[in-house]
Amino acid sequence: MSNPLLEQTGLPAFSAIRPEHVEPAIDALLAENRQRIEALIDNTPHPDWHNFVEPIEEWEDRLGRVWSPVSHMNAVVNSDALREAYNACLPKLSDYGTEMGQNERLYAAYKAVAENADALDEGQRKVLDNALRDFHLSGVDLPADKKQRYKEINQELSSLTSKFSENVLDATNAWSRVIDNVDALRGLPQSALDLARQTAEQNELEGWMLTLDYPSFYPVITYADDAELRKDVYKAYQTRASEQGPHAGQFDNTESMDRILALRHEQSQLLGFDNYAERSLARKMARSSDEVLGFLHDLAARSKPQAENELAELRAFAAERHGVSELEPWDIAYYSEKLRQHRYSITQEEVKPYFPETRVVPGMFDVVGRLYGVTFHEVDGVDAWHPDVKFYEIRDHDGTERGQFYFDLYARKNKRGGAWMDDCQPRMVTRNVAQIPVAYMTCNFTPPVGDKPALLTHDEVETLFHEFGHGLHHMLTQVDYSAISGINGVAWDAVELPSQFMENYCWEREALNLFAAHYETGEPIPDELYGRMLAAKNFQSGMMMVRQLEFSLFDFRIHREYDPTRGARIYEILNEVRDEVAVIRPPEWNRFAHGFSHIFAGGYAAGYYSYKWAEVLSADAFSLFEENGIFDQATGQSFLHHILERGGSKDAMDLFVAFRGREPQIDALLRHTGIAA
Ligand SMILES: [Zn+2]
């Protein structure tokens, strides 16, 4: 059988890829890679970059280029058959990855290549440093008994973390409420009522059905006039998967959480770290636990007074305007929304006409062109997965092609929600290959209706700029080694720098004038509306800041302070953190941590601080543009050369310092979020 995945030479042949091609292609490639790598190890007595690392990079790249369209189509043109094929490959790929990470002969060969450091350029040394670090983190160099223990821990952790997610999911699904009188839902916007109606219909019920899924939970807690209803929903949500609340004890994560922390601690110590926080930092930009904690405490101290003021204002507003003397935790979002409307009264309907997609997209290209001197060119006739998809090339001022991307902007059936940038292929230059980076840019905007262009909300414009920032990091790279080109090999806590940086251009008048104009009249955003948008931007930013800091400090401290003789002390530490930073104290029965999948089941363990860390970087980087002019050519070129082009080829701190002339400072973030410090 001919298989387009295996015959692929250039870009993927999306229109020819069928679900039945997927598993055979992955099976064939994994078998081929295994056999080739073993043969290479056998036949290379003196491994060096060219005879050993380079061929492996090329084989891994091929595997990546075959898997990328599959995983992308699974997200954007999903079907049962494709999902089945995709899911069947996941464990195979994960086994392959583990096997390579623990292959002692492969590790020995990489070490031999690295030992001959004089023969390597800077980028090659970085690739090898990263590879050796990752081998070490996967336990390959442990003595036999410890290696065995390491594997046992991994297995137990993997079942515990998936059990954790399942419990959260089951607890979320276990709760629902059917409302038969719409009056009980007073305050909810029409879209939320429609969703509740549709959910009821899908369950073959009359009336309106509320659930704990975020699209249902959020409008209730924010808009429902009935305080008892908000309380019930809040309580159900904030006690999920715990020994409290409406399903107390039924999906309880308590034991799993303790065990996860214990195992992470033990495994970190096997690898020679003091605790899991230290292990987490081995792959991050932050250099030490003290640095992370110092950073979080500093931000907290400087934001808390403002958060307290904001809460006081909210209390006063609720008392004066609504006669509510005591604000309960389930009242905060509700009265905050009332206060926001009272102060700024901005509706999306008012803003959207100024952001037609037909202006925003070319305007964004214009912004990027002014900053970095590149141009964008649409290419027709490129094979894609849907007729709405567009394809573009990015070229240098001298016409050199830098990168390409697919643009898939509209929501449709069988397409995953949200917006993201993903890697189709990385930049890679070897003796055999000269490959430029290709990205998938995916959004979920409302498609145009009739001859009216798609009108975007300001949030959507910001999301588009954010994801395009990731795309530029991937596509403008000049690094030749795929493991460190573009976003590859970039420290987790630095990877949001280029994306958040781009968001700034959605708020600057000079930039807005390039892409925001009324779709009918062509008029720019009126000053009065722009003023209200700016004022509303930082509404309750102090309260939001301390909440994120609470999560970050909690996550970091439970991993850093784990002590086998004292146990996990999860809520004890959470309460200490709240004493320091929080302005809102949830009720005793709140079990927020039991549903905190980011850190117990996701990749953010001892890494939740990364969100704030990267915000500091992006705000501080942008502040240099504020000083020199937001389209200053020299500053743009410097950002391009020191950050965007360099990918993971150097430590993120070194790159930042090279651009900014000093280490990051938090002042710009505080200023941008309106926190007077
Ligand atoms: Zn991002």
Side-chain angles (χ1 to χ4, degrees), residues 315-337:
R315 286 206 172 104
F317 171 80
E320 278 163 33
R321 296 261 162 178
H322 298 272
V324 176
S325 53
E326 188 82 20
L327 276 188
E328 300 288 352
W330 45 90
D331 295 332
I332 304 286
Y334 177 78
Y335 289 107
S336 293
E337 179 58 23

Side-chain angles (χ1 to χ4, degrees), residues 413-429:
K413 215 172 157 235
N414 298 322
K415 178 173 169 182
R416 199 174 82 201
W420 67 91
M421 187 287 292
D422 206 354
D423 166 355
C424 176
Q425 65 181 42
R427 178 181 162 99
M428 180 162 93
V429 181

Side-chain angles (χ1 to χ4, degrees), residues 492 496 555 559 598-599 602-611:
W492 182 286
E496 296 294 332
D555 161 52
H559 286 100
H598 269 79
I599 67 162
Y604 280 88
Y608 199 83
Y609 77 88
S610 301
Y611 287 111

Side-chain angles (χ1 to χ4, degrees), residues 183-196:
D183 285 349
L185 297 176
R186 235 174 323 130
L188 256 60
Q190 191 58 42
S191 59
L193 291 174
D194 292 345
L195 177 70

